[in-house]
């Protein structure tokens, strides 16, 4: 995004031609006999230039007659255009001007300009960048000592206000010092790219290496050029890059025996970094910025927060899911990094996949990924589990999803990977509010609640196809399991089961958290006579739970059923709530488990069927039908009576006439 404005202060010794340079830039011609200092000039953006050019550039012509005014202008500057014209003024660059800038505590880029160079200097050509041919910098013996001594001096250039030589280029360099700064990219003291830019460029390399073979081939380099600069790269340009890298890695060079380019394969990751280092060393760092900004990096070398976390408008009771575009992208990512094509991502493949991200999402670490979803016999996450995990992530924290989609190379607006469901509607029947049927959601959230040791953890493990284990450990931290289900008709849904652990009381008291719950799964151990009373006490303690659809589950049904030591038995309690009797299931009965998970999903789709104290709608329909039938019957009888009365009257009238 373009900056609003930048302020350039032009300074230097008296008589070096500061005002002439400004006049030559503005008027495009040399104007002799100018006043000592020109008024401040505002130059609007040329909209044919880079989109990162500032909206306005303010040029301030300084005078040495008033040191206090000069110092004030320097402190308000964004960049300094420092001008000299000969040996005497050159000596004062080091002895006076740079010392004065440091004494004022200025940390600004300085563009050093030697004016009055009236003979044109040949320009060299560039490669792999978005600039036009022609270099604006000239390395000269007099420039090298200053560049080495003062890191503030970003670049040097020779100009002539009289012949208009490189005046616009010098102005452009002042703009570029702000819009494409060198300091964040390159450490001139050690001659190396800085760590943050190395990390960013490594991520760019991984994203551009579409076949994940560790090389950028010609097609991949051309695609990068097209993405970053909107232009294609011809064979000669590619050959020039390859030759440059081959020469650098020659036995006598710095990168001897280190592979930068392999003929027939392409540029290595190290070669890509070396190429960008060359851009920085040769004053072509705008090329590197063009690459970085195409991948949404800001001046601080972090990805723009607006890109990572786009604003998504949602209603209070809406949920956010992945759209078909999002699922398609995640499928492609999985297939790309499943290099052995075994249908699972092993530890090495997962590590490669997340190399271009900050690492495993925090939510995944907190939920014991990959054991929160479907894995194969070797413990590798499957495609089914991969999509289920992202479905859960999007439902719980969609910002994590958009962030990682961008990190993984999703090139469109991240909002396109999301689907915002309609706000959940409520209806009322006999004074009781209940949730309306759902028809635009495919991800549902279920809280699994019950007394410790009732079998909740085993239920979650069974949901993921894991074998039953006799070992028991109490659940302290919340646990989560997510998997896909296919209902009748072939439609696929994702169900999230959450065991709340020690956070259960806090969550059950939190009405906002309960809004995120689509169905409650209330479990008890049918072989433990003390288990069911916990659920009865829970509903009495939190009566607002009855606003949610719920399903009662009798677990461990493979064991001997026990009479519950409670003032009311499970069947009677569910009848009192106008709910179905508890489902009896066991973690070693696969068919009953599948029936349970389908039931939970169906209840989330049709909440009214399992909302406590809600009379079944069919009863109302029957009553309505009865009264409708009664009205119809009454109407028929009424018409029949009228018809009989009228008919008898006509007959009597005819009889009297005959008589």
């Amino acid at each position: 995004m373009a900056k609003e404005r930048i302020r350039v202060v032009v300074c230097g010794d008296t008589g070096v031609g500061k005002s002439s340079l400004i006049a030559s830039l503005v008027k495009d011609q040399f104007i002799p006999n100018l006043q000592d200092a020109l008024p401040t000039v505002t130059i609007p953006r040329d909209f044919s230039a880079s989109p990162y050019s500032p909206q306005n550039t303010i040029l301030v012509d300084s005078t040495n007659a008033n040191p206090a005014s000069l110092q004030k202008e320097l402190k308000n500057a964004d960049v300094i255009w420092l001008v000299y014209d000969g040996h005497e003024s050159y000596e004062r660059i080091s002895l006076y001007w740079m010392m004065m800038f440091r004494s004022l505590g200025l940390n600004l880029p300085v563009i050093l300009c030697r004016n009055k160079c009236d003979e044109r200097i040949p320009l060299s050509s560039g490669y792999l960048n978005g600039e036009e041919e022609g270099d604006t910098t000239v390395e000269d013996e007099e420039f090298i000592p200053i560049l080495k001594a003062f890191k503030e001096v970003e670049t040097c250039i020779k100009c002539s206000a009289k012949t208009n030589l490189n005046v616009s280029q010098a102005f452009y360099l002042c703009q570029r010092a702000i819009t494409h700064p060198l300091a964040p990219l390159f450490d001139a003291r050690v001659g190396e790219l800085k760590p943050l830019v190395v990390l960013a460029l490594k991520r760019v390399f991984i994203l551009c290496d579409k076949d994940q073979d560790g090389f950028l081939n010609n097609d991949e380099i051309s695609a990068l050029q097209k993405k970053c600069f909107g232009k294609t790269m011809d064979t000669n340009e590619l050959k020039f890059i390859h030759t440059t890298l081959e020469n650098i890695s020659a036995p006598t060079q710095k990168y001897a025996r280190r592979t930068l380019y392999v003929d027939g394969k392409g540029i290595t990751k190290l070669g890509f970094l070396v190429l960008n280092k060359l851009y920085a060393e040769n004053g072509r760092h705008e090329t590197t910025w063009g690459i970085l900004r195409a991948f949404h990096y800001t001046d601080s070398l972090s990805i723009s927060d607006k890109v990572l976390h786009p604003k998504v408008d949602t209603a209070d009771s809406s949920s956010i899911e992945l759209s078909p575009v999002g699922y398609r992208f995640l499928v492609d990512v999985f297939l790309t990094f499943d290099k052995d094509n075994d249908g699972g991502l092993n530890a090495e493949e997962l590590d490669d996949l997340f190399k271009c991200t900050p690492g495993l999402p925090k939510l995944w670490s907190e939920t014991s990924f990959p054991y929160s979803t479907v894995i194969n016999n070797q413990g590798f996450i499957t495609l089914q589990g991969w999509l289920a995990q992202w479905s859960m992530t999007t439902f719980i924290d969609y910002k994590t999803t958009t962030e990682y989609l961008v990190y993984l190379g999703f090139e469109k607006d991240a909002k396109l990977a999301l689907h915002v469901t309609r706000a959940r509607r409520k209806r009322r029947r006999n004074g009781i509010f209940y949730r309306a049927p759902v028809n635009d959601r495919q991800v549902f959230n279920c809280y699994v609640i019950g007394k410790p040791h009732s079998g909740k953890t085993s239920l979650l493990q069974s949901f993921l196809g894991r074998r039953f284990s006799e070992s028991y450990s109490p659940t302290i931290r919340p646990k989560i399991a997510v998997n896909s289900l296919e209902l009748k008709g072939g439609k696929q849904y994702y169900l999230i089961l959450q065991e709340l652990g020690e956070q259960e009381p806090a969550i059950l008291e939190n009405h906002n958290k309960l809004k995120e719950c689509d169905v409650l799964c209330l479990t008890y151990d049918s072989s433990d006579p003390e288990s069911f009373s916990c659920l009865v006490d829970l509903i009495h303690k939190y009566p607002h739970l009855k606003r949610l659809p719920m399903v009662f589950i009798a677990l461990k049904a493979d064991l001997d059923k026990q009479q519950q030591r409670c003032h009311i038995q499970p069947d009677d309690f569910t009848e009192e709530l106008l709910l179905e009797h508890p489902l009896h299931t066991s973690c070693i009965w696969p068919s009953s488990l599948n029936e349970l998970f389908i039931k939970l999903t169906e209840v989330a789709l049709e909440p009214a069927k399992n909302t406590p104290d809600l009379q079944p709608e069919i009863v109302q329909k029957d009553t309505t039908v009865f009264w409708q039938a009664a009205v119809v019957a009454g109407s028929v009888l009424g018409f029949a009576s009228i018809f009989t009365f009228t008919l008898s009257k006509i007959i009597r009238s005819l009889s009297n006439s005959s008589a």
Side-chain angles (χ1 to χ4, degrees), residues 231-374:
K231 58 177 74 171
T232 57
M233 183 176 289
D234 62 33
T235 305
N236 291 332
E237 290 173 312
L238 285 167
K239 192 172 181 179
F240 181 81
I241 293 173
H242 298 162
T243 303
T244 301
L245 292 176
E246 285 176 333
N247 290 339
I248 293 175
S249 59
T252 58
Q253 299 297 321
K254 179 178 180 180
Y255 294 97
R257 292 182 295 279
R258 299 183 70 181
T259 306
L260 306 182
Y261 168 75
V262 175
D263 190 27
K265 289 188 175 182
I267 301 171
T268 65
K269 187 183 294 183
L270 178 60
F272 185 63
L273 294 175
V274 169
L275 198 59
N276 281 276
K277 180 189 171 187
L278 289 176
Y279 299 153
E281 289 175 334
N282 295 323
R284 303 183 186 281
H285 50 280
E286 185 171 352
T287 302
T288 300
W289 275 119
I291 295 171
L292 294 173
R293 285 185 171 144
F295 287 85
H296 310 295
Y297 282 93
T298 63
D299 288 356
S300 61
L301 292 173
S302 61
I303 298 178
S304 169
D305 192 64
K306 290 183 179 179
V307 175
L308 292 176
H309 306 124
K311 185 178 179 181
V312 179
D313 296 323
T314 60
D316 184 47
S317 58
S318 295
S319 65
I320 300 180
E321 303 175 358
L322 283 166
S323 69
V325 173
Y327 279 116
R328 181 69 259 172
F329 175 77
L330 290 169
V331 169
D332 291 341
V333 170
F334 183 96
L335 297 177
T336 298
F337 285 90
D338 181 18
K339 297 174 184 176
D340 54 10
N341 295 316
D342 65 345
L345 295 179
N346 58 40
E348 183 180 347
E349 291 167 340
L350 270 177
D351 184 57
D352 288 342
L353 189 154
F354 283 107
K355 272 184 179 176
C356 53
T357 75
L360 207 64
K362 182 180 178 182
L363 176 62
W364 292 24
S365 301
E366 292 173 348
T367 54
S368 303
F369 174 83
Y371 302 106
S372 56
T373 190
V374 184

Side-chain angles (χ1 to χ4, degrees), residues 12-64:
D13 290 348
T14 302
V16 294
K18 302 186 295 295
S19 301
S20 296
L21 283 171
I22 296 174
S24 179
L25 174 69
V26 176
K27 299 294 185 180
D28 200 26
Q29 63 181 4
F30 177 66
I31 300 176
N33 303 320
L34 291 169
Q35 61 197 74
D36 288 343
L38 297 177
T40 298
V41 176
T42 299
I43 300 177
R45 174 187 172 191
D46 178 1
F47 287 93
S48 64
S50 165
Y52 296 100
S53 299
Q55 299 290 345
N56 293 290
T57 302
I58 300 170
L59 278 175
V60 179
D61 188 8
S62 66
T63 175
N64 299 328

Side-chain angles (χ1 to χ4, degrees), residues 405-425:
L405 286 174
V406 173
Y407 283 129
L408 291 169
F410 189 77
E411 296 185 352
K412 302 175 184 177
D413 185 346
K415 287 193 294 186
L416 297 176
L418 303 179
H419 164 63
V420 181
T421 67
R422 290 192 293 271
R424 187 187 286 120
R425 294 172 297 163

